[in-house]
Amino acid sequence: MTKLLFLALPLLIAGCQQSKEDKMQSLIEAKLQQTMKDWSSYEFVNMSSVDSLFTSFKLTEECKAQRMKIIAAMNRTGEMKKKLENCKKSEEAILKDSVAYLSKIEDNLANELKKMDREYKGDFIGFKTELTFRGNNSFGGKVLNKVRVKTNKDITEIVDIKSVE
């Protein structure tokens, strides 16, 4: 009998834990309860699967630095093109070569940025989902709403919530 109890105990403990989806839905509904005009009119419609959320390359210092290099190259190319418009015939060939060379540098920098973006492995920062629900608006009419929600790693706090049109 005690052996059976020891075998069943881990199953009972594991069965009592909420899934990520259940935690996420509860957390979102708690937030909506505070923000909706008429919480009693709330009706759950559906929720997308809960997915992992990672940092974005576009927000990194490496990306910003690479973009600054591209902008600097574009400015140099633009300056060279202006000089080409008002140059002497004797300088034209040299300036055309310079513009072509600078354009190639721009392309190389842009390709490097794309490669950096593809190879970037973001850090895990939480979870995301979309929840669709019905509720009364300020005039008492039923409206369908959809929110995109991001949470922390433990699904204990909403980091960002936005209405999806």
Side-chain angles (χ1 to χ4, degrees), residues 141-154:
K142 284 272 189 217
V143 289
L144 189 65
N145 299 285
K146 187 177 203 176
V147 289
R148 183 172 296 133
V149 181
K150 299 175 183 176
T151 67
N152 62 359
K153 295 177 184 180
D154 302 321

Side-chain angles (χ1 to χ4, degrees), residues 11-22:
L11 292 173
L12 288 172
I13 291 171
C16 292
Q17 293 181 351
Q18 282 186 309
S19 69
K20 287 186 291 191
E21 286 77 10
D22 292 338

Side-chain angles (χ1 to χ4, degrees), residues 83-113:
K83 285 182 182 180
L84 183 61
E85 291 172 2
N86 303 318
C87 72
K88 299 175 188 172
K89 285 285 184 192
S90 60
E91 299 173 332
E92 189 174 330
I94 294 170
L95 289 174
K96 281 183 179 179
D97 286 346
S98 296
V99 168
Y101 177 74
L102 290 171
S103 293
K104 189 174 182 179
I105 289 175
E106 279 181 46
D107 292 342
N108 289 342
L109 289 170
N111 289 334
E112 189 177 331
L113 180 66

Side-chain angles (χ1 to χ4, degrees), residues 15-68:
C16 292
Q17 293 181 351
Q18 282 186 309
S19 69
K20 287 186 291 191
E21 286 77 10
D22 292 338
K23 281 181 167 181
M24 187 73 91
Q25 185 175 345
S26 297
L27 187 63
I28 296 168
E29 288 176 347
K31 180 70 173 178
L32 291 174
Q33 194 169 11
Q34 298 169 357
T35 58
M36 278 182 66
K37 302 271 188 231
D38 181 7
W39 170 249
S40 64
S41 68
Y42 171 83
E43 296 174 28
F44 173 82
V45 175
N46 70 7
M47 187 171 78
S48 67
S49 60
V50 175
D51 196 7
S52 300
L53 183 62
F54 296 90
T55 55
S56 171
F57 174 70
K58 291 173 179 67
L59 301 176
T60 65
E61 292 302 317
E62 294 90 355
C63 180
K64 291 175 187 174
Q66 189 69 10
R67 284 183 176 173
M68 293 304 291

